[in-house]
């Protein structure tokens, strides 16, 4: 009895300090993969920061910085949906091993060219395009593999939430460390760290257990375009995924572009400098971590539709207030809210989509459509809002994006009863809610 009380006391202390270990992370199989994936994202974020700095240092042209970023991401709009078809056919372990090895080669090439003084904008754009092709396969594959690592289907949400938290933590830490490394050792040091950061994930992929698909009938079908159409048709006709992806694409186009507008906002509205921008970006990234902690603490997916609607609406309102602010203190508060709700909305959509997707042979294609929102929609949003800011000003551009997010959140909220009715049987089958709750 005494020993039992002591064990319960220890468990209560762990829950108080660590909010209890998420169920998925209790599996060595899942935690090994997620830690490796988060470390590789840490290196990737550092490389992105270093590349922006390097292009601007070489050219002193904001336009070429934008071109380099656009070419890196825009290929995803074309390639990622096709990659989804192939991910439903191919062995995920081999796909991820290949993408990590190619990423190591590309980052090592950047390191060599920079150290030898042979780096130029043309080589950066070419390597960036190659990295974009790799990401088109790598990012969806990283998501698709997670449900095949968990022991119980019900732990999928926990694994996805933990993955989002670790990625956002890497996003928070990497700019600070990357900035220090660039200042002391130059951009090459970031590229070198990026090359090394893929090794833990490479090791994890070689060791984790990946559940095979029950049947891979898709592999027998040679019609790639037909399979691609099947994926889009499924995402369109299955209403919960359709509405979630529509909200995701709206947020990516209207809200995520705020990152590119921040330097202009700092200079024109706040009359600040690089240090001011650093404060704002740190506050935004910290908000992302808070969102990740919240999603982990939820443990289950029930009610996540309401979270998407409320967080999207709060994101829009925060953008509206931020766009009207001229004091740094107020801007720091609301960009924290922006970062938190932006991550909360998009991570919730991803977690929700992965869990309710019961057709495993379509997971790669649906995940690739979600990823297209980042790799394909975002660069066009950046171009649109860049032009809009030039016409009506940066503050009015942010205001427009915020209003669109609020309207989108309202429209999504009207679809929640339909979504709830469709997904309830799925929750029952997974054991997330009792049979008696089904209507």
């Amino acid at each position: 009895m005494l020993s039992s009380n002591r064990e319960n006391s220890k468990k209560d202390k762990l829950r108080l300090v660590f909010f209890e270990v998420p169920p998925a992370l209790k599996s060595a199989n899942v935690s090994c993969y997620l830690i490796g994936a988060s470390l590789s994202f840490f290196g990737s974020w550092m490389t992105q920061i270093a590349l922006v700095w390097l292009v601007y240092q070489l050219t002193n042209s904001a336009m070429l910085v934008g071109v380099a970023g656009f070419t890196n991401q825009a290929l995803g709009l074309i390639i990622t949906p096709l990659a989804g078809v192939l991910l439903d056919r191919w062995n995920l372990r081999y796909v991820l091993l290949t993408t990590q090895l190619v990423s190591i080669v590309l980052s090592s090439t950047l390191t060599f060219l920079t150290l030898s003084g042979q780096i130029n904008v043309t080589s950066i754009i070419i390597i960036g395009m190659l990295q974009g092709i790799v990401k088109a396969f790598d990012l969806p594959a990283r998501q698709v593999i997670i449900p095949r690592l968990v022991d119980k289907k019900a732990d999928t949400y926990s694994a996805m939430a933990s993955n989002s938290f670790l990625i956002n933590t890497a996003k928070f830490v990497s700019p600070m460390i990357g900035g220090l490394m660039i200042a002391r050792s130059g951009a090459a040091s970031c590229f070198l760290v990026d090359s090394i950061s893929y090794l833990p994930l490479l090791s994890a992929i070689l060791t984790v257990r990946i559940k095979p698909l029950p049947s891979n009938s898709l592999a027998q079908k040679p019609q790639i375009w037909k399979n691609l159409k099947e994926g889009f048709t499924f995402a369109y006709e299955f209403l919960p995924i359709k509405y979630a992806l529509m909200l995701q694409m709206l947020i990516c186009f209207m809200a995520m572009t705020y990152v590119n507008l921040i330097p202009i906002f700092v200079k024109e509205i706040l009359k600040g400098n690089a240090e001011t921008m650093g404060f704002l970006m740190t506050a935004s990234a910290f908000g992302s971590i808070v969102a990740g902690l919240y999603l982990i603490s939820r443990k289950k997916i029930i009610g996540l539709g309401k979270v998407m609607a409320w967080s999207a609406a709060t994101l829009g309102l925060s953008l509206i207030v931020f766009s009207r602010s001229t004091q740094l203190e107020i801007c720091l508060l609301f960009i924290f809210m922006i970062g938190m709700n932006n991550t909360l909305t998009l991570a919730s959509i991803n977690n929700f989509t992965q869990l309710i997707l019961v057709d495993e042979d379509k997971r790669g294609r649906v995940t690739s459509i979600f990823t297209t929102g980042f790799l394909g929609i975002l660069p066009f949003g950046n171009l649109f809002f860049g032009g809009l800011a030039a016409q009506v000003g940066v503050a009015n551009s942010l205001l427009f994006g915020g209003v669109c997010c609020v309207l989108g959140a309202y429209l999504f909220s009207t679809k929640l009863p339909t979504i709830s009715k469709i997904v309830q049987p799925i929750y029952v089958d997974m054991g997330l809610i009792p049979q008696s709750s089904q209507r």
Side-chain angles (χ1 to χ4, degrees):
M1 185 73 174
L2 185 60
S3 61
S4 176
N5 289 335
R6 287 177 180 173
E7 288 178 4
N8 290 333
S9 177
K10 289 180 180 179
K11 289 181 179 179
D12 290 338
K13 288 180 180 178
L14 286 173
R15 289 176 183 173
L16 182 63
V17 177
F18 298 104
F19 304 99
E20 191 176 1
V21 177
L25 291 184
K26 295 176 182 178
S27 165
N29 200 50
V30 176
S31 57
C32 177
Y33 170 78
L34 293 184
I35 291 172
S38 62
L39 289 173
S40 70
F41 270 115
F42 172 81
S44 298
W45 278 106
M46 287 182 61
T47 287
Q48 289 187 25
I49 296 165
L51 281 176
V52 170
W53 180 87
L54 189 57
V55 170
Y56 194 74
Q57 184 188 48
L58 291 171
T59 65
N60 201 32
S61 169
M63 180 179 291
L64 285 176
V65 171
V67 169
F70 179 79
T71 54
N72 183 285
Q73 294 176 322
L75 282 173
L77 184 62
I78 302 171
I79 299 174
T80 306
L82 294 174
V85 176
L86 298 175
L87 290 178
D88 284 331
R89 295 164 173 257
W90 292 347
N91 185 302
L92 283 178
R93 193 190 303 273
Y94 295 154
V95 171
L96 285 169
L97 285 173
T98 302
T99 56
Q100 305 320 301
L101 289 171
V102 174
S103 296
I104 291 173
V105 171
L106 292 175
S107 294
S108 298
T109 302
L110 280 173
T111 306
F112 171 77
L113 291 175
T114 306
L115 288 174
S116 63
Q118 301 178 49
I119 195 73
N120 54 51
V121 176
T122 302
S123 60
I124 290 174
I125 290 176
I126 292 173
I127 292 175
M129 292 175 67
L130 294 173
Q131 287 176 328
I133 294 172
V134 173
K135 288 178 185 176
F137 289 90
D138 185 61
L139 295 182
R142 291 188 187 210
Q143 299 291 328
V144 171
I145 199 175
I146 291 176
R148 301 180 193 174
L149 297 175
V150 297
D151 297 324
K152 296 184 294 183
K153 181 72 174 177
D155 288 341
T156 300
Y157 171 78
S158 173
M160 298 300 298
S162 300
N163 183 54
S164 298
F165 171 72
L166 291 172
I167 289 173
N168 285 307
T169 301
K171 181 180 176 181
F172 174 70
V173 174
S174 57
M176 294 182 288
I177 297 179
L180 289 174
M181 292 182 64
I182 291 172
R184 294 185 180 183
S185 309
S189 60
C190 292
F191 302 147
L192 179 60
V193 170
D194 187 25
S195 303
I196 298 171
S197 71
Y198 293 104
L199 296 177
L201 181 55
L202 199 61
S203 175
I205 295 166
L206 289 170
T207 56
V208 296
R209 301 184 311 277
I210 303 173
K211 293 179 183 177
L213 286 174
S215 63
N216 195 1
S217 58
L218 188 67
Q220 311 299 324
K221 301 178 182 179
Q223 307 95 338
I224 290 181
W225 292 109
K226 181 180 178 182
N227 298 155
L228 180 62
K229 181 182 177 182
E230 287 176 355
F232 276 100
T233 301
F234 173 80
Y236 182 81
E237 293 181 348
F238 188 51
L239 295 182
I241 289 181
K242 173 185 174 180
Y243 296 143
L245 291 178
M246 288 174 65
L247 180 64
Q248 180 246 352
M249 291 180 182
L250 173 75
I251 296 300
C252 285
F253 192 91
M254 292 294 177
M256 281 192 71
T257 49
Y258 80 89
V259 175
N260 277 22
L261 297 178
I262 289 301
I264 306 172
F265 188 87
V266 167
K267 184 177 180 180
E268 295 184 0
I269 307 299
L270 297 181
K271 310 300 180 184
N273 52 24
E275 187 179 42
T276 308
M277 185 179 71
F279 287 142
L280 290 173
M281 297 309 294
T282 300
S284 174
F286 184 62
S288 296
I289 291 181
V290 173
L293 285 172
Y294 169 74
L295 288 173
I296 289 177
S297 69
R298 282 183 57 85
K299 299 187 183 70
K300 291 186 178 181
I301 196 175
I302 308 300
L304 205 56
K306 292 181 180 179
V307 173
M308 293 182 229
W310 279 107
S311 59
T314 306
L315 170 61
L317 292 172
S318 299
L319 275 169
I320 292 171
V321 176
F322 180 83
S323 71
R324 303 295 96 187
S325 304
T326 57
Q327 296 182 7
L328 178 60
E329 293 79 8
I330 296 176
C331 288
L332 285 171
L333 173 62
F334 281 95
I335 203 169
F336 166 83
M337 296 291 293
I338 291 169
M340 179 176 68
N341 286 283
N342 181 67
T343 297
L344 189 56
T345 305
L346 296 177
S348 296
I349 292 171
N350 186 32
N351 297 347
F352 175 78
T353 302
Q354 291 293 335
L355 190 58
I356 66 171
L357 185 56
V358 294
D359 294 344
E360 288 293 337
D361 64 337
K362 295 183 178 68
R363 187 176 295 279
R365 283 169 284 177
V366 174
T367 303
S368 71
I369 296 172
F370 177 86
T371 308
T372 300
F374 296 100
L375 300 182
I377 302 298
L378 183 58
F380 288 98
N382 287 334
L383 288 177
F384 173 80
F385 275 93
L388 187 64
Q391 296 296 321
V392 302
V394 63
N396 290 330
S397 298
L398 290 168
L399 174 66
F400 174 73
V403 171
C404 289
C405 288
V406 173
L407 292 174
Y410 169 74
L411 291 174
F412 179 77
S413 68
T414 63
K415 307 298 182 182
L416 287 178
T418 301
I419 293 173
S420 178
K421 183 179 179 180
I422 294 173
V423 301
Q424 195 171 42
I426 299 176
Y427 294 163
V428 171
D429 290 341
M430 295 175 61
L432 295 176
I433 56 177
Q435 185 73 31
S436 58
S437 298
Q438 190 175 9
R439 300 178 203 175

